[in-house]
Amino acid sequence: MPTLHAKNQAEDLEMNVEPLPASAVEILTHALRRRILSGDFQPGEFLRDVKMCEEHSTSRHTFRTAAQVLVTQGLLRQIPNRGFVVPEFGPDDIVDITRVRGAIEGEAIRLIVLTGVIPSQALEAVEVMHRSTLSSDRSLLVGADRDFHRAIIAASGSARLKRTYSDLEGEIELLLAQRQDFYATAEEMAEEHERLINSLRSRHYDTAREAFQEHWEDLQIKLLDQR
């Protein structure tokens, strides 16, 4: 057992530890991610090295490193000899992304219904939707949708489900950011996600599964109709 003196020393050390400053790459990655999800760049638009370096007062090496991080998140694609481009999703991409999302989330629903625990982060995300409007920063609503579904996956308690979903999350966010008009109002978005919460509260898997299935299929139809 550690002595009281040792515990106090450990606590003092913890209190004196300052958070590490964010690196230039982390700062640029965050800035570019926000711009992409806010719609600053059009689908299919290339992020040119010189322009990005000028706009963000950074080096070409820092930009390319940050862009590579965004490639791993699905927010950029690298074209050999041409550079980094914002993905443009075709019908096959939309069907595939929503289908895989549904498969992953369907298993999470099964586990949540068993425990009956509604994740607080999902409830908070719905509140953000209620307070927002479609004229708000686009990334705010996309972030709320991300937080809702991320909380559903996390509540499953499965590390593997979370890891699998994280690989898809960037593409989902970007797809929603580029096709945000599938909701008439932000309130409609909030009400639809509240229905999903209520389906989980039923503690009945078929009820919850049907509600989420309808959500996935409706989203897919709306996204495809916008093309």
Side-chain angles (χ1 to χ4, degrees):
M1 292 287 292
T3 65
L4 179 60
H5 176 68
K7 286 184 178 180
N8 289 337
Q9 280 187 321
E11 290 173 358
D12 289 341
L13 286 172
E14 289 178 3
M15 292 178 63
N16 291 328
V17 172
E18 296 183 0
L20 293 174
S23 69
V25 171
E26 291 171 331
I27 293 171
L28 182 58
T29 300
H30 178 77
L32 291 175
R33 179 185 178 87
R34 182 176 180 80
R35 290 187 65 185
I36 291 169
L37 293 178
S38 294
D40 282 4
F41 308 108
Q42 295 300 310
E45 181 176 348
F46 279 85
L47 275 60
R48 302 299 181 187
D49 293 25
V50 174
K51 183 179 180 182
M52 291 298 102
C53 290
E54 288 178 352
E55 291 182 359
H56 292 275
S57 301
T58 190
S59 69
R60 183 171 295 184
H61 172 74
T62 299
F63 165 70
R64 289 181 175 176
T65 305
Q68 287 286 0
V69 174
L70 294 173
V71 169
T72 67
Q73 296 176 1
L75 296 177
L76 286 176
R77 289 177 184 161
Q78 186 172 15
I79 308 299
N81 303 318
R82 296 194 63 191
F84 299 94
V85 62
V86 177
E88 186 170 10
F89 298 111
D92 289 344
D93 297 309
I94 292 172
V95 170
D96 195 39
I97 290 171
T98 53
R99 177 178 58 81
V100 175
R101 180 195 199 182
I104 298 170
E105 208 164 39
E107 186 58 28
I109 294 166
R110 186 190 306 277
L111 297 171
I112 291 173
V113 168
L114 288 174
T115 64
V117 177
I118 307 298
S120 60
Q121 295 89 340
L123 300 174
E124 292 165 4
V126 173
E127 287 304 310
V128 171
M129 296 175 194
H130 276 303
R131 295 194 300 267
S132 302
T133 65
L134 290 180
S135 60
S136 301
D137 181 353
R138 184 183 298 183
S139 64
L140 182 66
L141 280 172
V142 172
D145 184 273
R146 174 205 62 212
D147 292 344
F148 179 93
H149 292 281
R150 180 186 288 175
I152 296 299
I153 299 297
S156 71
S158 169
R160 289 174 178 81
L161 273 184
K162 289 191 287 185
R163 187 165 64 241
T164 303
Y165 189 76
S166 69
D167 291 338
L168 186 69
E169 196 172 55
E171 288 187 306
I172 294 170
E173 285 187 82
L174 183 56
L175 178 58
L176 295 181
Q178 292 179 354
R179 300 283 184 270
Q180 194 183 33
D181 291 341
F182 58 81
Y183 284 112
T185 65
E187 186 62 23
E188 179 188 328
M189 184 181 189
E191 290 174 355
E192 182 167 334
H193 285 78
E194 276 188 340
R195 285 194 291 272
L196 299 181
I197 292 291
N198 291 334
S199 75
L200 293 172
R201 286 192 171 121
S202 72
R203 298 296 303 276
H204 191 267
Y205 175 71
D206 288 342
T207 298
R209 173 70 184 182
E210 182 177 343
F212 274 81
Q213 186 72 37
E214 182 180 337
H215 176 67
W216 302 322
E217 292 177 353
D218 184 56
L219 174 62
Q220 184 180 111
I221 291 169
K222 287 176 178 176
L223 291 171
L224 289 170
D225 283 347
Q226 289 187 2
R227 295 196 58 80

